[in-house]
């Protein structure tokens, strides 16, 4: 069975980088990095290192106030490499059209980013064998 991990966080005004409170797409990659670290700790007992992304797709905009759920899964384990897939989903959105503190939980999450990447944990650091 492959390892899976998930984190959820709210994008803040601090995360907004562009006009209209748009969040930089790199923030999704930052979340994927945190998910990858948890996956490596669960798999190997070590944080490891992110080696490369094979693909990254930005599929929908993310704004300050959105809640993003980032999930990842180890799909292939080599001697020291771990291939992973990631998905970031918008699960709650602010509703400033109603009032300044209104929010909606989305019935269907909106996929905002997908990625495939490879991380490495060198043999000498693998503890969960």
């Amino acid at each position: 069975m492959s390892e899976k991990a998930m984190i959820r966080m709210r994008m803040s005004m601090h995360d907004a980088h562009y006009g209209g409170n748009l969040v930089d797409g790199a923030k999704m990659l930052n979340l994927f990095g945190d998910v990858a670290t948890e996956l490596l700790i669960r798999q190997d007992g070590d944080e490891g290192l992110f080696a490369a992304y094979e693909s990254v797709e930005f599929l929908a905009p993310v704004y300050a106030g959105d809640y993003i759920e980032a999930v990842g899964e180890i799909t292939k384990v080599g001697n020291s490499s771990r291939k992973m897939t990631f998905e970031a989903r918008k699960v709650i959105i602010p509703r400033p059209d109603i009032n300044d503190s209104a929010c909606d939980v989305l019935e269907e999450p909106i996929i905002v980013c997908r990625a495939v990447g490879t991380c490495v944990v060198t043999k000498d650091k693998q503890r969960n064998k």
Side-chain angles (χ1 to χ4, degrees):
M1 176 115 173
S2 64
E3 289 287 342
K4 295 181 182 181
M6 185 271 288
I7 59 174
R8 183 179 294 152
M9 73 181 303
R10 187 175 197 180
M11 299 296 105
S12 71
M13 288 302 289
H14 177 76
D15 297 312
H17 188 73
Y18 299 106
N21 297 326
L22 184 65
V23 172
D24 190 339
K27 182 67 177 177
M28 299 308 104
L29 301 184
N30 182 281
L31 295 177
F32 293 163
D34 288 344
V35 170
T37 299
E38 180 178 340
L39 288 168
L40 293 174
I41 291 167
R42 290 179 179 280
Q43 174 76 29
D44 295 296
D46 191 87
E47 292 183 2
L49 295 169
F50 216 117
Y53 280 106
E54 281 179 38
S55 65
V56 176
E57 298 175 274
F58 297 104
L59 303 167
V62 175
Y63 300 98
D66 290 344
Y67 277 78
I68 301 296
E69 181 178 273
V71 297
E73 178 177 8
I74 295 176
T75 57
K76 185 177 179 185
V77 176
N79 287 328
S80 60
S81 65
R82 282 80 178 101
K83 186 172 184 177
M84 302 176 186
T85 59
F86 303 96
E87 189 171 270
R89 307 173 190 128
K90 189 183 306 193
V91 294
I92 297 174
I93 59 169
R95 290 294 309 274
D97 55 310
I98 296 173
N99 67 55
D100 61 357
S101 58
C103 293
D104 282 344
V105 175
L106 298 175
E107 279 188 43
E108 285 292 322
I110 298 168
I111 299 168
V112 298
C113 187
R114 283 193 184 116
V116 176
T118 301
C119 294
V120 174
V121 178
T122 57
K123 286 288 227 181
D124 63 312
K125 292 187 178 179
Q126 296 174 19
R127 298 186 308 120
N128 301 342
K129 297 177 185 179

